[in-house]
Amino acid sequence: MKKFAMAAVGGTLAGIIATTQVVGPLLAQETAKSSNVYEQLDLFGDIFERIRAQYVEDVDSKELIEAAIDGMLTSLDPHSSYLSPDDAAAMRVQTRGEFGGLGIEVTQEEGFVKVVSPIDGTPADDAGVESGDFITHVDGDSVLGLTLDEAVEMMRGPVGSEILITIVREGETEPFDVSIIRDTIKLTAVRTRTEGDTVVLRVTTFNDQTYANLASGLEKQIEDAGGIDNINGIVVDLRNNPGGLLNQAIRVSDAFLDEGEIVSTRGREIQDGERFNATDGDLAQGKPIVVLINGGSASASEIVAGALQDHRRAIVVGTKSFGKGSVQTVMPLRGDGAMRLTTARYYTPSGRSIQALGVSPDIIVQQPRTRPNADEAEDESPRALRSEADLRGSLNNDSLSEDEIKQIEADRDKAEAAAALREEDYQLAYAIDILKGLSALVPVE
């Protein structure tokens, strides 16, 4: 018994010694880390005081600290940043759907401002700014070396004022200037229309209005068509949509799914991950869907495209999307400011991350560039050919009734309208042709 007791005591002591040998170095490491952090903060304080005392001009201490905070955040990734009280207020207005500016979503690449996408119907869109353009100068001043927020601040100004931006565009040999008049940007989150038998949902942004606009617009188009049976499918146009609110992307995806995962987010810690699933109810009532994307489709747009693609609910057409697969959380700070911090990556239902890769379309369709001086070019359309019906004294078709002939002529008019759309928007026309082809395969009851 004594031997057993001694062995137990000996084992306990050995355990205590072994534990101490592990914990001791860990505590020492943590203490060393804390010491290094405080040393770096002391260094920051020394530099701050030296600038205030000896810089060639007086500096505003508040602006200096805000610049240091912004520098700390922007060093992490292109989407983390500090929002001053004015910037935070402007962002809250923007998510509600109305703000002042040029109407472009931008990011930073290689020191220059890169256009993610122009917003439909805005001054930048009307001036011909395109997704992928690089803005190198604003009113003659270079933006190279500036932070993204500083460059954006240069582009802000009173409504009605003029701004001159210098653009470098792929395919153009020389930079060129574009003059834009600033205006109040009123976002219509979703525009709806019907092309032939196809409903087109043009989703321009994901703000507080997006799902409501989409649901009501789709309902009206179906009603105007005389019911869902008169619709052959739906095109969800996400081209040049820079994204926006995550919850709106989830709701738009859910609008066309009955079940299954829509998107998942994963943070640094396992417990920070979230998974969002679809609920029962498909606004399209099972009708086929084509999703249009391009290089200007980012963030929330990629969530929708990825979810519908992974669930085989839609055919994705166009070109590879932008590839922004990270989630930013806006955190309020004292003094009415805020910080935008990247807190997670998001993943499509199949578990793939879109970050830096984007969504690859099922069918790649490039949008042809508008030819320069197209209006001045010679008319290259083929001359109309004469048919049997044009010949004098030709026989009538005796196998069709007058109503059947009218139906054939109406179908021909629709085909000609579709052909005209190819000249205006080739990618959209291609999407509509896919839906028309799918409807032709449905057996007649």
Side-chain angles (χ1 to χ4, degrees):
M1 185 67 180
K2 288 182 179 178
K3 290 181 180 180
F4 177 79
M6 291 297 293
V9 172
T12 303
L13 290 173
I16 293 171
I17 292 170
T19 303
T20 304
Q21 288 174 338
V22 174
V23 173
L26 288 176
L27 290 173
Q29 290 174 14
E30 290 299 321
T31 302
K33 287 181 180 178
S34 298
S35 176
N36 289 337
V37 169
Y38 287 123
E39 287 178 4
Q40 293 296 316
L41 289 174
D42 286 341
L43 176 62
F44 174 82
D46 290 343
I47 294 173
F48 176 73
E49 289 300 332
R50 191 71 61 88
I51 292 172
R52 288 211 307 170
Q54 298 182 5
Y55 185 65
V56 64
E57 296 177 354
D58 287 336
V59 291
D60 186 308
S61 298
K62 181 175 178 291
E63 291 181 359
L64 204 59
I65 293 172
E66 286 185 351
I69 294 170
D70 189 49
M72 178 169 56
L73 287 165
T74 54
S75 70
L76 300 173
D77 64 75
H79 307 295
S80 296
S81 62
Y82 171 72
L83 300 173
S84 68
D86 290 342
D87 291 338
M91 186 205 67
R92 288 190 287 270
V93 170
Q94 181 170 345
T95 58
R96 290 196 294 269
E98 182 175 326
F99 57 95
L102 306 182
I104 51 175
E105 180 78 10
V106 294
T107 187
Q108 197 163 39
E109 188 173 301
E110 298 178 358
F112 292 107
V113 176
K114 183 178 181 179
V115 177
V116 175
S117 61
I119 300 169
D120 287 358
T122 61
D125 184 42
D126 294 340
V129 177
E130 297 182 3
S131 173
D133 286 347
F134 283 91
I135 298 175
T136 61
H137 294 74
V138 175
D139 289 330
D141 295 326
S142 173
V143 299
L144 185 63
L146 300 180
T147 66
L148 184 60
D149 285 343
E150 289 172 336
V152 170
E153 188 63 32
M154 289 177 67
M155 289 186 276
R156 288 179 177 150
V159 171
S161 61
E162 184 180 12
I163 180 175
L164 191 71
I165 60 174
T166 304
I167 287 177
V168 172
R169 178 178 295 168
E170 184 179 358
E172 299 289 340
T173 56
E174 296 290 336
F176 57 92
D177 293 334
V178 175
S179 175
I180 303 175
I181 304 298
R182 297 180 179 94
D183 199 359
T184 298
I185 311 301
K186 295 182 179 179
L187 293 181
T188 302
V190 183
R191 295 185 176 93
T192 60
R193 71 181 193 273
T194 298
E195 292 282 351
D197 298 325
T198 303
V199 174
V200 179
L201 304 174
R202 171 68 180 131
V203 185
T204 59
T205 188
F206 287 86
N207 60 25
D208 289 335
Q209 308 167 18
T210 302
Y211 176 77
N213 286 175
L214 182 140
S216 61
L218 177 57
E219 181 182 12
K220 185 178 186 305
Q221 294 300 317
I222 292 173
E223 182 182 338
D224 291 346
I228 193 69
D229 292 338
N230 296 323
I231 298 297
N232 66 11
I234 295 171
V235 174
V236 180
D237 187 355
L238 298 174
R239 292 173 299 173
N240 294 329
N241 183 323
L245 301 177
L246 174 63
N247 69 324
Q248 290 292 313
I250 293 168
R251 294 193 71 186
V252 169
S253 302
D254 193 5
F256 304 110
L257 296 171
D258 282 320
E259 59 182 2
E261 181 182 310
I262 292 173
V263 66
S264 61
T265 62
R266 304 176 200 171
R268 185 166 66 181
E269 304 295 336
I270 295 177
Q271 64 269 23
D272 294 336
E274 290 186 89
R275 193 179 304 274
F276 302 92
N277 295 314
T279 56
D280 187 42
D282 176 3
L283 296 184
Q285 300 178 45
K287 289 290 183 177
I289 297 172
V290 172
V291 174
L292 279 176
I293 61 171
N294 64 4
S297 307
S299 190
S301 297
E302 294 171 294
I303 290 176
V304 175
L308 298 182
Q309 184 182 55
D310 280 3
H311 282 288
R312 302 293 188 267
R313 183 63 186 91
I315 300 170
V316 179
V317 173
T319 55
K320 185 175 74 70
S321 63
F322 185 74
K324 181 184 177 293
S326 59
V327 180
Q328 283 68 48
T329 303
V330 178
M331 305 174 182
L333 301 173
R334 66 183 68 180
D336 295 329
M339 70 174 177
R340 186 190 292 114
L341 186 67
T342 300
T343 53
R345 289 182 172 88
Y346 65 75
Y347 297 79
T348 69
S350 64
R352 58 191 170 104
S353 171
I354 293 166
Q355 179 60 30
L357 295 176
V359 174
S360 297
D362 299 306
I363 303 173
I364 296 176
V365 179
Q366 299 282 349
Q367 183 83 311
R369 287 187 177 273
T370 304
R371 292 180 305 159
N373 302 321
D375 293 338
E376 301 172 8
E378 294 182 6
D379 183 10
E380 299 174 359
S381 59
R383 288 186 299 174
L385 298 177
R386 288 166 62 85
S387 68
E388 171 71 14
D390 297 319
L391 298 180
R392 182 180 300 171
S394 63
L395 298 175
N396 294 325
N397 188 313
D398 62 356
S399 68
L400 298 175
S401 67
E402 185 176 339
D403 288 341
E404 288 173 326
I405 292 174
K406 287 182 178 178
Q407 183 60 50
I408 289 174
E409 290 173 346
D411 291 342
R412 186 180 299 145
D413 290 341
K414 286 183 180 179
E416 290 175 355
L421 182 61
R422 291 189 192 100
E423 295 295 322
E424 179 185 340
D425 190 338
Y426 182 77
Q427 288 175 323
L428 177 59
Y430 195 105
I432 291 172
D433 285 344
I434 289 175
L435 293 173
K436 188 182 298 181
L438 289 173
S439 66
L441 296 176
V442 177
V444 178
E445 297 180 358

